Amino acid sequence: MARPERYPSERFGRFEGLLPKEVKGVIKSNDNGLPREMAVRGLPPGEWVARGVYKMERLVPYGRKYGARELENPQATAAILRPWGGCAPCVYLDLETTGLSRGTGTYAFLVGLGFCGEESFRVVQLFLAGPGWEHNWLAALENELPHECGLVTYNGQTFDLPLLRTRYTLARALPSWNSSPHMDLLRLTRHFYKGRLPSCSLKEVEPRVLGVKRSSEDIDGSEIPAIYTEFLQTEDASPLRGIFYHNTLDIISLVSLQTHIAALTDMKGFTGEDMLRCGDLWNSIGAEERACKAWRRALDFKPHAPVANARLAQHAKRTGNFGEARELFAKAAEEERYPIRNLENLSKIEEHHLKDYQAALKHAEEALKWLEEHRPLRDYEWGLERQNMLHRIRRLKRKLEME
């Protein structure tokens, strides 16, 4: 008899069908007349703001060294990042949860919130002392959020905000921030650093991009659910201090990372790769003038000049400037170590737009020669490329014969 199929444990946490279908609006605290204070040992300095909800707060002055740079007020960067959700005022948000699933069995027990002041950055943390007080915790979260503010997260679009929405729904409430602007810095970080870092997790980005090295007090994210579970049994919060530290640095890192990403987006990078990706980012939203400006700046970095010329050539081709496109593709082919794509594009423009069949044939034959002499791996893809190039050459020869 065949064994029944096994499903990932995450699937059993997704009981969307059991979620209430109606919500009542903004959530309110429900203390039932009980005192706010609870017999929890080892919490950092703070105060009980509701039954089961403990609030901690700290100020971080601007100008303080954080990693390789000084912490700056990030609100000035909101304008440059507006196409990707940047706005001012905004609140930086990060959750610590009982697991990585977004199902109804997973809930958040700590939320870190970051607020931009005039002279310092303020971090507020709301700690949930037990799942029975989640209603109060959500109400406390609502009380901390200003009206008409945006949110900034790291992977919040996929994890933090969907998880919070589930908890609000179970409490039959609507988040006040549900339609607020949201910028997920993971999306922008991946654009600039995918393939350049082992991964784009905040754990990798902090030391390699921001120059931040956490102390031994930090707790690895994978250990956090187990430590909280132990707290629920012992009511000793001392082992949680590393989690509070972890969450605080996550929030401050978002501020530093936003400033850095905004500089890259504003063409203030230090490498040709930064400039190329900056241009690609603007090009992805149709801001072609800014994209071309960034690609032209990449020309100052010699190793990246062929790719920059190819990007500019593609833009010239899209806008119908075929003469400029021909010149740029020729430059790219001349400078690049692997010129086959640029030679092929050059041949296409000369054949279909400039009607210069002799030049198109010359560049198609150069591309074929390069393919046969410099591609040692003769796989299926190689054979397909070769057949396409031979087909192009035969067609061009027939056109020349008919002239």
Side-chain angles (χ1 to χ4, degrees), residues 4 13 91 214 255 291:
V91 176
R214 299 198 178 194
V255 178

Side-chain angles (χ1 to χ4, degrees), residues 299-353:
L299 295 172
D300 296 333
F301 302 85
K302 190 173 181 180
H304 296 87
V307 179
N309 274 319
R311 296 277 206 282
L312 291 166
Q314 290 287 5
H315 174 261
K317 180 180 176 182
R318 285 194 302 273
T319 56
N321 195 339
F322 301 114
E324 182 182 354
R326 178 184 192 176
E327 181 180 343
L328 290 167
F329 275 129
K331 282 184 181 179
E334 183 180 346
E335 297 169 345
E336 195 171 16
R337 292 179 60 190
Y338 306 102
I340 184 170
R341 291 285 170 257
N342 291 314
L343 288 170
E344 185 178 9
N345 281 316
L346 190 54
S347 180
K348 288 179 180 179
I349 286 177
E350 290 166 336
E351 177 185 1
H352 300 298
H353 300 288

Side-chain angles (χ1 to χ4, degrees), residues 148-162:
E148 297 182 356
C149 69
L151 296 176
V152 179
T153 66
Y154 201 81
N155 197 31
Q157 184 173 358
T158 301
F159 183 75
D160 300 72
L161 299 191

